[in-house]
Amino acid sequence: MAHFRRWGAVYLLMLLFIGSWGAQFVFQLIEYRNTQQQQGQPFQWSGYWPEFLASTFENWQSEWFQLVFQAVLLLGAKHWIFRVDAENAERIESKIDDLRAYLVPPERRTEVPGD
């Protein structure tokens, strides 16, 4: 049971992916058959597969483009946010060092590891 608790989201996403791709396959197959019938041509798998794969990769291409664009934006935001945090941490550490130097007499000072 622990395995499903840990990996349940992965299985759910795989199930949703396979389900949506299967639905695309079925509905595009129906549309392709109807188009072939309207044009008076027989249904041929050799004509369907290129159309199905082309629409699949076209859809995936736009999704991957969005994913990469979002990743770039998030990485840029992360670097900007953490740079600001690092600058604030350095400023605070500097003030603490100044306070310690002011409050603690030189004969009682001990070195802090990392200084």
Side-chain angles (χ1 to χ4, degrees):
M1 193 60 160
H3 175 78
F4 286 110
R5 242 183 280 145
R6 184 174 188 169
W7 295 99
V10 173
Y11 292 135
L12 178 63
L13 288 173
M14 284 176 36
L15 183 65
L16 289 172
F17 170 76
I18 291 169
S20 65
W21 202 20
Q24 176 190 349
F25 176 84
V26 169
F27 288 112
Q28 192 167 354
L29 180 64
I30 293 169
E31 180 185 353
Y32 182 77
R33 281 188 172 177
N34 289 340
T35 303
Q36 294 300 96
Q37 285 178 352
Q38 287 173 357
Q39 295 176 357
Q41 298 174 352
F43 173 80
Q44 293 179 345
W45 285 102
S46 61
Y48 171 72
W49 283 113
E51 190 173 311
F52 172 71
L53 293 175
S55 66
T56 296
F57 290 126
E58 182 179 303
N59 186 24
W60 288 355
Q61 181 182 15
S62 67
E63 296 299 326
W64 279 106
F65 176 73
Q66 289 176 19
L67 180 67
V68 169
F69 185 71
Q70 290 172 1
V72 168
L73 286 178
L74 287 174
L75 283 174
K78 178 187 135 244
H79 287 296
W80 178 73
I81 289 168
F82 286 122
R83 185 190 76 224
V84 171
D85 286 347
E87 290 171 358
N88 286 340
E90 288 175 12
R91 187 174 51 83
I92 291 169
E93 286 177 14
S94 173
K95 288 182 179 184
I96 290 172
D97 290 340
D98 292 344
L99 283 172
R100 187 174 58 167
Y102 178 75
L103 295 174
V104 179
E107 62 272 0
R108 296 194 62 204
R109 288 187 196 154
T110 58
E111 288 298 316
V112 176
D115 281 348

